[in-house]
Amino acid sequence: MELQPGREAVVRVAVATLWSHPEAVRPVDGPALAARTDIAAWISGMDTDQQVGDCVLSQLLLGERVLVTELRGDGWAHVVAVEQPAPRLHPHGYPGWLPAEQLAPVVADTADPLVVDATVTALRDAPGGAEVLSGVILGTRLIPAGPAVDGWQPVHAPGHAAPLWLPDGDAVPVPATPPSADEVLAVAQRLLDVVYIWGGVSAYGIDCSGLVHLAWRRLGVLLPRDASDQATATRPVPLGAERPGDLYFFARPGRRIHHIGIVTAEPRPDDDRRMLHACYLQRRVLEERLPDERTATLVGVHRV
């Protein structure tokens, strides 16, 4: 079976990057364009300006579904990431470009998926064997290929006929009930100090809305990809009534929401508010008291 416009496909690399246009990629982007991506090497090879280049739109995880809308002769595919809602951009998901070789046709499977709980893991050709796919990250969904054997879990991976293996416990059942605030914060806190990457949605590099999307995704809740859409998809609560696990939204006067953070503490009487967020200014994920300049653009609190 081959990729075809109008049909769904799935990501076959550990982390695929969604680009604004094929001609927007830079020489430094090679590791993110390969048939076997190396996102850690890609990020480490960029300077701070390249890390926030707007050629990157988002990232997709192994097994994530996309709708293929165009296939170019030079090997690029235009897709809509249907598991990343983006109603401002497309009714079916987040649109963008990626190398077609990073996709595989959909293979139907009715087994209940597992979700990767390790921050980063690898899939191997046998229990304890050679790595086939490294850099598989938190929140990735995998289809089990049978029961665990001697501490190793077999899974189906797109583009691989034989099952691959990861340590039992690195992937767990997808939660069946809504997560608690403590669970959400525990996931997000595991990404503290991860470098800020514009469009990033991985444990190697992430942006503010990507952090929120990925934390809830790990716990079985699908939120939109961008901050302004995340505001639309969540419920406002009065400022001052926030509690840990809620979301702070930020916007400049007359502008669309541009930043989001996860509330980590109830506000104190002196308006001391705290949040965990991927900070563009400090270029990393951190937990902090809201500085005055951030408080000046705080426009609301929402609850998932």
Side-chain angles (χ1 to χ4, degrees):
M1 189 183 300
E2 297 182 351
L3 302 178
Q4 293 185 24
R7 291 190 176 182
E8 286 195 352
V10 290
V11 173
R12 65 180 295 169
V13 295
V15 178
T17 300
L18 198 64
W19 305 90
S20 61
H21 202 272
E23 285 70 35
V25 299
R26 307 154 298 186
V28 74
D29 296 324
L33 300 170
R36 183 173 176 177
T37 57
D38 188 340
I39 301 303
W42 174 57
I43 290 173
S44 66
M46 289 191 284
D47 61 33
T48 54
D49 289 336
Q50 291 169 329
Q51 289 173 346
V52 295
D54 59 6
C55 55
V56 174
L57 300 176
S58 189
Q59 290 184 307
L60 292 72
L61 308 186
L62 174 68
E64 188 167 341
R65 294 182 300 116
V66 302
L67 174 65
V68 178
T69 57
E70 182 182 345
L71 291 170
R72 291 197 344 183
D74 60 359
W76 282 88
H78 187 270
V79 303
V80 177
V82 299
E83 296 181 58
Q84 296 189 24
R88 286 186 305 104
L89 302 175
H90 193 284
H92 299 306
Y94 213 108
W97 293 85
L98 48 69
E101 66 179 348
Q102 295 182 354
L103 298 173
V106 173
V107 177
D109 199 308
T110 58
D112 292 333
L114 303 172
V115 61
V116 172
D117 186 52
T119 306
V120 178
T121 190
L123 304 186
R124 300 172 182 271
D125 61 2
E131 289 189 359
V132 176
L133 277 174
S134 58
V136 176
I137 68 152
L138 179 78
T140 299
R141 292 199 176 193
L142 300 167
I143 302 299
V149 177
D150 296 330
W152 291 85
Q153 172 66 53
V155 294
H156 297 295
H160 297 269
L164 301 180
W165 300 77
L166 76 166
D168 188 24
D170 278 9
V172 299
V174 177
T177 57
S180 67
D182 287 345
E183 289 173 321
V184 171
L185 287 171
V187 172
Q189 286 166 347
R190 290 165 59 186
L191 299 170
L192 282 168
D193 291 322
V194 168
V195 66
Y196 183 100
I197 297 292
W198 183 271
V201 190
S202 87
Y204 293 110
I206 203 161
D207 66 14
C208 64
S209 55
L211 174 65
V212 171
H213 175 85
L214 187 60
W216 265 268
R217 178 177 179 154
R218 156 61 187 92
L219 297 167
V221 177
L222 183 64
L223 289 181
R225 171 62 182 88
D226 288 343
S228 57
D229 293 326
Q230 290 168 348
T232 302
T234 51
R235 176 170 58 90
V237 298
L239 192 64
E242 63 265 35
R243 62 193 188 200
D246 288 344
L247 301 171
Y248 283 135
F249 289 94
F250 303 86
R252 298 178 182 89
R255 304 287 294 276
R256 192 172 67 233
I257 287 169
H258 70 273
H259 190 63
I260 185 173
I262 305 172
V263 178
T264 57
E266 294 183 2
R268 299 177 183 177
D270 58 356
D271 283 339
D272 184 12
R273 294 185 164 90
R274 301 193 67 86
M275 71 174 177
L276 190 155
H277 65 133
C279 180
Y280 177 93
L281 298 176
Q282 299 196 44
R283 301 294 172 89
R284 64 186 177 91
V285 177
L286 71 156
E287 195 275 342
E288 65 174 351
R289 177 189 178 276
L290 267 64
D292 291 343
E293 60 270 22
R294 188 71 77 181
T295 299
T297 61
L298 177 61
V299 295
V301 184
H302 288 218
R303 188 164 294 159
V304 176

